[in-house]
Amino acid sequence: MPAPFTLAPLPWDEDALAPTISANTIQFHYHKHHQTYVDTLNKLVEGTKFAAMKLEEIVQATAGSSDAKEKTLFNNAGQVWNHDFYWRSLTPAKTEASAQLDSAIAAAFGGKEQLIAQLAEAGKTQFGSGWAWLVSKGGKLSIEKTPNAETPMAKGVNCLLTVDVWEHAYYLDYQNARPKYLESVLGKILNWEFASENLAKEANPVRSAA
Ligand code: MN
């Protein structure tokens, strides 16, 4: 949907991820940080050609731009999309990967434990603010990390899951201990059903030989 953009509702109650992520963190992260990206995005697109575009289109159209205004627009649009995707990547429910995702994980990583270890490593080694991602390219899974507001979606890559590694995502609960936040989130509250749905949506996935 084009502008005005709205803050998408959280898929669970604000205290549902506690103690992995406290209600206090969610309140600041969602109502302050995420809301501010939405509000700023709406101000930036007003009266421009971007007002008629969908969020994904704005992110893709402004990615890599050298124009200062478009860079600011990318940062805010990217952060709105990334946060919507992050909330849906997390769940308090026990979820299972589909058979399709299971076999893609086995083919790419050997198993879920190895996938989680690589995702944790990407999150730990992302210097400064950014994101760690599980992505699929033609059904082949891999891990990526991006700085600031950047997202693999900007290049048309199919994202399956993400974890926010900006300090605001964990500082109230874990202070400087980003690895502890990652260990806790990746082990307990990743939404494998969401990842499965994202993989299934991808056109013509390559079937694993495994
Ligand atoms: Mn964030």
Side-chain angles (χ1 to χ4, degrees):
M1 276 198 300
F5 297 97
T6 54
L7 186 67
L10 288 172
W12 20 255
D13 292 338
E14 290 175 5
D15 60 355
L17 305 182
T20 306
I21 300 176
S22 67
N24 193 27
T25 290
I26 297 294
Q27 280 156 13
F28 278 96
H29 199 172
Y30 176 70
H31 292 291
K32 305 289 182 191
H33 292 279
H34 191 177
Q35 179 74 60
T36 300
Y37 295 127
V38 172
D39 294 345
T40 307
L41 173 64
N42 281 326
K43 280 186 202 131
L44 290 169
V45 299
E46 209 180 319
T48 75
K49 64 180 178 184
F50 298 105
M53 290 187 188
K54 290 180 193 158
L55 183 61
E56 287 82 354
E57 293 169 338
I58 296 174
V59 172
Q60 292 176 351
T62 55
S65 174
S66 52
D67 177 83
K69 276 187 185 167
E70 289 194 2
K71 275 186 186 175
T72 307
L73 183 52
F74 173 82
N75 285 337
N76 285 278
Q79 284 295 77
V80 172
W81 192 87
N82 289 350
H83 282 89
D84 281 344
F85 199 83
Y86 172 58
W87 305 131
R88 287 181 292 152
S89 293
L90 306 178
T91 179
K94 180 144 179 54
T95 55
E96 298 288 344
S98 65
Q100 183 195 18
L101 179 57
D102 256 342
S103 69
I105 290 171
F109 304 100
K112 219 189 232 178
E113 262 180 51
Q114 293 94 319
L115 180 168
I116 286 172
Q118 287 190 33
L119 196 52
E121 188 61 20
K124 277 181 223 171
T125 56
Q126 170 52 45
F127 187 76
S129 296
W131 302 82
W133 304 84
L134 174 66
V135 303
S136 168
K137 294 170 180 166
K140 194 176 181 327
L141 306 194
S142 57
I143 302 293
E144 294 193 7
K145 54 185 176 180
T146 60
N148 303 317
E150 287 179 30
T151 167
M153 183 277 287
K155 294 179 185 130
V157 171
N158 185 22
C159 300
L160 306 188
L161 290 173
T162 195
V163 183
D164 189 341
V165 296
W166 284 58
E167 281 187 348
H168 67 226
Y170 58 85
Y171 218 86
L172 294 175
D173 295 328
Y174 299 88
Q175 289 73 52
N176 60 318
R178 190 192 288 186
K180 273 196 175 172
Y181 156 75
L182 284 164
E183 187 189 329
S184 199
V185 166
L186 301 182
K188 291 177 189 157
I189 55 169
L190 281 185
N191 190 340
W192 297 101
E193 233 170 74
F194 180 60
S196 302
E197 286 163 16
N198 290 325
L199 182 62
K201 273 188 250 168
E202 192 169 337
N204 307 312
V206 173
R207 296 287 166 199
S208 154

